[in-house]
Amino acid sequence: MHRCLQLAKNGLGTTYPNPLVGSVVVHNQQIIGEGWHYQAGEPHAEVQAIRRVKQEHVLSESTLYVNLEPCSHHGKTPPCADLIIEKKIPRVVVGCLDPNEKVAGRGIQKLQQAGIEVVVGVLEKESIELNRRFFTFHQKKRPYILLKWAVSQDGYIAPANQPPETIVWLTQPSSRQLVHLWRSQEQAILAGTNTVRLDNPQLNVRLVSGPNPTRIILDKNRSIPLHYKVYDDQIKTLVITSQKPVDNPYLNTRYETLDFDKPWVDQLCELLYQYQIQSLIVEGGSYTLQQFINENLWDEARVFSAPINFGKGVKQPIFEGHLEREITLQLDRLKIYRNL
């Protein structure tokens, strides 16, 4: 099962809306086939593992391991449970059940009804943790929300009187590269009006190789100039506003409305759920971050501390979380928190 989890991680950032799944086939204590799911619409991990078994006749004497319950329904690909039954694999070991209501125990039931021995719950905690985005989406009906910011030693995320369209870097290049890796692993990225107006960011992946997340831009009064980079229409962009424009000339940019006179983070989560967005990294300013914290709609916070002092400026958000890890990156210090 450890190998299944290791393989599954290869798909982080590319499998949405599908989960991260790895699978191995074992015969006489030896792995004879392995695979992982790497993109929606492509073969699932179990299919990949079975295909890599060179001597198909030994499948009837083998055990298949997989970190998530085999699917039992027709989607873009046939059910994996059917293939396991067809190949007469006598034993299946599963990390955890699938929370998707289309599966939710039906895959296990189908295998058992076919006479296959099924063991469930091996490295269950680790299996759920790996797919925490997928589980949050299906169980809480919202994206997994990751907050990210950098703070000076004296507690500021930006200096006072920052000139527009000027980015003031707090962190080292290696930290910024890591942030781009994170962006490639999440399905969407959000920034608020003030952050966009001040920094004019691209909110894409440039410093590593990987997919660009969908941009979520809070532009309540549509005050962000249309020549700004977030309006370049180069990647999928969702603009959240109080009123849609009459005409939308863009191909990759869509507008949606929220009632900003009411708490809007919960409304946003409902909207992103409708868009099938499973994970969101928030790179907004202090005000935007604080709204997620105030509504208790966040799962993880990644906070860089930089060896710089501003004296005055924009204070970092106020929050409480469980410090899970602390990492040194050159001159920066990264702290990773989980919501209590």
Side-chain angles (χ1 to χ4, degrees), residues 14-27:
T14 63
T15 64
Y16 295 117
N18 292 349
L20 301 169
V21 184
S23 181
V24 298
V25 179
V26 175
H27 182 257

Side-chain angles (χ1 to χ4, degrees), residues 17 21 33 110 122 131 152 164 184 193 203 214 247 249 254 264 267 274 293 295 308:
V21 184
K110 196 169 196 177
V122 176
N131 273 306
S152 66
S184 74
T193 304
L203 299 179
T214 297
D247 297 312
R254 297 188 63 176
W264 54 264
Q267 298 178 61
Q274 294 171 15
I293 294 166
E295 293 194 39
I308 187 173

Side-chain angles (χ1 to χ4, degrees), residues 184-234:
S184 74
Q185 295 170 344
E186 309 307 331
Q187 201 170 358
I189 182 171
L190 180 143
T193 304
N194 290 337
T195 296
V196 174
R197 287 181 65 89
L198 280 173
D199 297 347
N200 190 13
Q202 297 180 61
L203 299 179
N204 60 7
V205 173
R206 304 181 302 281
L207 303 181
V208 299
S209 177
N212 287 310
T214 297
R215 294 184 294 212
I216 313 295
I217 308 301
L218 299 177
D219 193 6
K220 175 184 174 181
N221 298 316
R222 304 213 311 271
S223 62
I224 298 172
L226 296 182
H227 70 270
Y228 270 41
K229 294 169 184 175
V230 294
Y231 279 113
D232 62 12
D233 207 38
Q234 295 301 303

Side-chain angles (χ1 to χ4, degrees), residues 59-323:
L59 286 171
S60 61
E61 305 169 355
S62 303
T63 298
L64 182 140
Y65 291 79
V66 62
N67 60 286
L68 191 71
E69 175 184 3
C71 62
S72 57
H73 65 290
H74 283 271
K76 292 183 178 179
T77 58
C80 292
D82 288 359
L83 179 64
I84 294 169
I85 295 168
E86 176 192 329
K87 298 300 181 181
K88 296 182 172 58
I89 298 173
R91 186 169 184 264
V92 176
V93 179
V94 178
C96 63
L97 296 179
D98 190 328
N100 187 342
E101 60 185 15
K102 294 179 179 178
V103 187
R106 294 182 182 88
I108 302 297
Q109 183 181 36
K110 196 169 196 177
L111 295 174
Q112 290 174 331
Q113 288 175 344
I116 294 172
E117 178 190 355
V118 182
V119 178
V120 183
V122 176
L123 297 185
E124 182 177 37
K125 182 179 178 181
E126 293 85 348
S127 296
I128 293 172
E129 169 65 14
L130 176 68
N131 273 306
R132 58 191 183 275
R133 298 162 179 84
F134 187 74
F135 273 77
T136 297
F137 181 79
H138 286 284
Q139 293 177 339
K140 297 184 178 181
K141 310 300 182 186
R142 65 163 176 83
Y144 183 88
I145 299 172
L146 191 159
L147 310 180
K148 170 257 155 186
W149 70 87
V151 60
S152 66
Q153 285 185 331
D154 52 353
Y156 299 100
I157 67 171
N161 304 316
Q162 179 181 338
E165 297 188 59
T166 302
I167 298 178
V168 178
W169 295 111
L170 280 78
T171 54
Q172 301 294 308
S174 58
S175 297
R176 299 199 288 273
Q177 186 176 36
L178 178 60
V179 170
H180 279 242
L181 175 64
W182 293 344
R183 289 179 180 182
S184 74
Q185 295 170 344
E186 309 307 331
Q187 201 170 358
I189 182 171
L190 180 143
T193 304
N194 290 337
T195 296
V196 174
R197 287 181 65 89
L198 280 173
D199 297 347
N200 190 13
Q202 297 180 61
L203 299 179
N204 60 7
V205 173
R206 304 181 302 281
L207 303 181
V208 299
S209 177
N212 287 310
T214 297
R215 294 184 294 212
I216 313 295
I217 308 301
L218 299 177
D219 193 6
K220 175 184 174 181
N221 298 316
R222 304 213 311 271
S223 62
I224 298 172
L226 296 182
H227 70 270
Y228 270 41
K229 294 169 184 175
V230 294
Y231 279 113
D232 62 12
D233 207 38
Q234 295 301 303
I235 58 180
K236 288 183 180 179
T237 303
L238 185 61
V239 180
I240 309 299
T241 182
S242 59
Q243 187 176 0
K244 290 183 183 180
V246 176
D247 297 312
N248 178 10
Y250 301 112
L251 294 176
N252 286 321
T253 302
R254 297 188 63 176
Y255 289 84
E256 292 289 352
T257 59
L258 296 182
D259 184 356
F260 284 92
D261 292 329
K262 299 176 181 178
W264 54 264
V265 178
D266 187 59
Q267 298 178 61
L268 176 67
C269 287
E270 290 181 11
L271 177 65
L272 297 186
Y273 179 77
Q274 294 171 15
Y275 270 85
Q276 298 288 293
I277 290 176
Q278 290 186 10
S279 71
L280 174 70
I281 181 169
V282 180
E283 293 193 27
S286 186
Y287 172 80
T288 299
L289 291 163
Q290 195 68 59
Q291 304 315 300
F292 284 87
I293 294 166
N294 290 349
E295 293 194 39
N296 198 33
L297 286 168
W298 67 281
D299 300 284
E300 190 174 337
R302 300 177 182 176
V303 183
F304 290 97
S305 298
I308 187 173
N309 288 296
F310 286 144
K312 58 180 180 178
V314 180
K315 280 283 190 180
Q316 72 169 325
I318 301 170
F319 81 111
E320 291 184 4
H322 169 68
L323 179 59

